[in-house]
Structure formats: structure tokens, C-alpha cells
Amino acid sequence: MEDLHLGFDSGSGFVPVVERVHLQISAGQTLALVGESGCGKSLVASAIMRLLPPFGRMNQGIISLDGIDLASLDEQALRQVRGNRVSMIFQEPMSALNPVFTVGAQVAEALLLHRALDSADARQRAIKLLATVGIPDPEARARNYPHELSGGMRQRVMIAMAVACEPDVIIADEPTTALDVTIQAQILDLLHDLQERLGTAILFISHDFAVVSQMADNIAVMYAGRIVELGSAADVLETPTHPYTRALLATTPRLDQSAQRLPAIAGRVPSPQERDAGCHFRARCPDAEPRCRTSYPELIARTGAHLCACHVASADA
């Protein structure tokens, strides 16, 4: 993704929501996109899949896969990419799965479309995929409808659908939200195993640093539609430089602080209509300076490939 700008058309004109996003994912690696709800993470995922909501559009930028500009593909060419080379694990499996089709039929759909299998072969392959993602008695479960499965089972079905065609890229949008910690750990292990076997690149979208620390090779922290920090997982987690990243990490529960009340980040995220030329985080930032009000800091390197968009952090570098 290069210089990605996303937003919505309204009665008063185009309202930018995501701005100046530059991200790259290599084969076999996981890039975590982290931030609070509403910061634009899921909008980025939707843009990659060309599934932006009504009135949403990409105003500027390039989204490419091996040199192919996904944004310029016509619908027929896009169908050859979506679900085949790029797949998505959606945030809510109950709403993402079709309630009137069996889960086996839904897993087989991509195989029928992209692998030219007949119905019998696609069904057998779907059953094998359900077994691969750890669903017991997959042949019987393939005949179930989504409402007959638990949340964890439905999430595994979503993963089976995403990996059916062994894609180059998987976009995992909060894949463990609302699951208990045991099922969450199993889902993360499953994604790890599939990635090692297939060499797939994963864009892992989350607001939870505890989950991200188990998955990510690199981390991009997003605030109010912009990337504020980017680097290896070790750099971002061990030596965070942006005040927002440090504040997010401070709110993550830790076993050695179980008796202490977790800190909260004061204030709220500004709406797209409230953003101005200054740093979007300045009203909540304990280190804000006068220049933070007048100009947005560039995303620049502090050390090596560890990037940060902060006037104060840049001055300290």
C-alpha cells in the first residue's frame, strides 16, 4: 500500500478517514495493524478487498500485489484475486457466514469458483479443510448451519474458507474478538501453523497488544487514520517511541500488576470532521508542544527501520 487515502462522500464533500498509509508485507510474514476502534484499520482491510461500504472510496494511492494494481482491476479480474490470492477472515463470523447455507457448502464455494472442482470433489476438499482447522467430526459438521456451531467453531470455518485456495495474503480482521482465551490461543496457533505450511503473508488487524505480541513480525500503530509508529515487533513492543503507542501498551493487562488499576488514555479520538493540520493525538498527549498544533509530523526513522510520526520523539532521536 502506497500513500493510501480513504474516506466517504458526504453532502459537504469528501471526508478523509485514512490518510498517507504506506505498508508492505512480505511472503511468510505477519504485519499487525493496531489501534483503537474507529481508527480506520478495518477500512484499510476493506479497501484491499475492494469491499468498501456505501459512499466509501479510495481517493488516492496504490494497493498492489506482486506488481498488480488491485484498485484498477475490473470486476472479472478482481474475482480471480479475491478469495483466491487474497482472502479475508472477517470480524464477526456469525454475520459473515450465510445463515441459509451449510458451512460445508460455504467452504466449498471458493473451490468451485477458483479451482474448477466438481461438487463432489469440492465437498471432500471442504471436509478436509474443516479437519485441518481442528473441527471434530468434520463430515458431520459440514452439514451444519452456522447457528448450530459455537463462536470458536464458526471462526474456524471462516479460517477454512480463507485458506481454501492457499492464498498469498490473508487479512485477519480481529479474528479472535469475543472468543475466550483458550479458543483464542487455539486460533492463533492455527494461523501460525497455516502460515508456516503455506508461506502466506498475514495482515493481522487488532487492538490487543497481548494478541499481537504472539503473532506479529512487524507492527504498524494507527491513530485517527494515520500510521504513527512502524517497526519490528521487538522494536515497537520493547522500545515504543510514540506517546500513543506507549499509552496503549500501558493499558495492556499484566500478571505482575494484577492488583493495580489499569491506566486509561484521557480524552477521545477526534472524528474525521474535527481533524486539522496539527497532530491528531495532541489533545491527549502529555508531551505535546506548540508546534504539534500547527503541523502534522512526518513518519520518519528514529533507528534503522523503526519509524515514528512525532515532533517530540523526532527531537529526542
Side-chain angles (χ1 to χ4, degrees):
M1 286 165 274
E2 299 177 28
D3 198 25
L4 189 64
H5 289 65
L6 306 169
F8 293 89
D9 290 313
S10 68
S12 58
F14 182 76
V15 179
V17 177
V18 170
E19 301 176 280
R20 300 184 187 180
V21 169
H22 301 263
L23 294 174
Q24 180 175 332
I25 315 174
S26 300
Q29 290 196 329
T30 297
L31 169 67
L33 185 58
V34 182
E36 291 175 80
S37 296
C39 72
K41 307 185 303 294
S42 293
L43 200 62
V44 170
S46 298
I48 297 170
M49 298 295 289
R50 295 266 298 270
L51 294 173
L52 287 171
F55 305 107
R57 67 180 169 93
M58 190 172 96
N59 191 44
Q60 183 177 319
I62 296 173
I63 302 174
S64 63
L65 172 66
D66 286 342
I68 301 170
D69 184 2
L70 300 184
S72 67
L73 296 180
D74 60 32
E75 194 62 32
Q76 183 176 358
L78 181 63
R79 283 172 64 89
Q80 298 304 312
V81 173
R82 187 194 289 150
N84 184 22
R85 298 194 64 192
V86 183
S87 293
M88 186 165 177
I89 304 169
F90 291 91
Q91 190 168 352
E92 295 292 342
M94 196 59 214
S95 58
L97 293 171
N98 193 319
V100 301
F101 289 98
T102 64
V103 296
Q106 295 185 63
V107 174
E109 183 179 9
L111 297 167
L112 290 168
L113 177 63
H114 297 297
R115 291 295 180 264
L117 300 179
D118 60 33
S119 296
D121 288 341
R123 176 175 173 74
Q124 288 304 310
R125 174 64 179 150
I127 291 170
K128 288 182 180 179
L129 284 164
L130 293 176
T132 299
V133 298
I135 292 181
D137 195 3
E139 188 165 358
R141 292 297 188 185
R143 296 191 292 270
N144 288 152
Y145 290 89
H147 73 273
E148 298 178 289
L149 303 180
S150 67
M153 288 291 188
R154 292 194 296 265
Q155 197 69 63
R156 289 168 186 265
V157 171
M158 291 293 300
I159 294 174
M161 293 170 64
V163 303
C165 295
E166 301 188 351
D168 300 307
V169 182
I170 292 175
I171 302 166
D173 188 3
E174 304 271 11
T176 59
T177 297
L179 300 179
D180 66 58
V181 291
T182 302
I183 300 300
Q184 177 176 282
Q186 292 174 358
I187 295 296
L188 296 180
D189 288 342
L190 175 59
L191 286 172
H192 267 306
D193 293 342
L194 291 169
Q195 184 178 48
E196 289 183 4
R197 185 167 61 84
L198 302 176
T200 303
I202 297 177
L203 175 61
F204 191 88
I205 297 173
S206 181
H207 64 275
D208 188 341
F209 269 116
V211 173
V212 165
S213 66
Q214 300 177 55
M215 286 294 299
D217 298 294
N218 299 294
I219 296 174
V221 181
M222 177 175 273
Y223 183 79
R226 293 201 186 188
I227 303 299
V228 297
E229 187 159 357
L230 174 64
S232 69
D235 283 342
V236 173
L237 294 174
E238 295 173 13
T239 57
T241 57
H242 196 280
Y244 177 62
T245 309
R246 294 198 298 266
L248 269 186
L249 284 167
T251 65
T252 302
R254 292 172 50 181
L255 290 176
D256 59 350
Q257 296 178 335
S258 58
Q260 300 178 23
R261 186 180 181 87
L262 287 173
I265 305 175
R268 62 177 179 83
V269 181
S271 70
Q273 293 87 348
E274 294 173 322
R275 299 172 192 169
D276 55 23
C279 174
H280 302 333
F281 188 62
R282 68 177 186 274
R284 310 174 74 185
C285 180
D287 303 322
E289 298 180 350
R291 57 181 168 166
C292 301
R293 182 181 297 275
T294 57
S295 66
Y296 198 96
E298 294 294 325
L299 186 65
I300 59 174
R302 278 180 51 86
T303 56
H306 189 179
L307 311 180
C308 180
C310 177
H311 289 308
V312 179
S314 299
D316 293 341

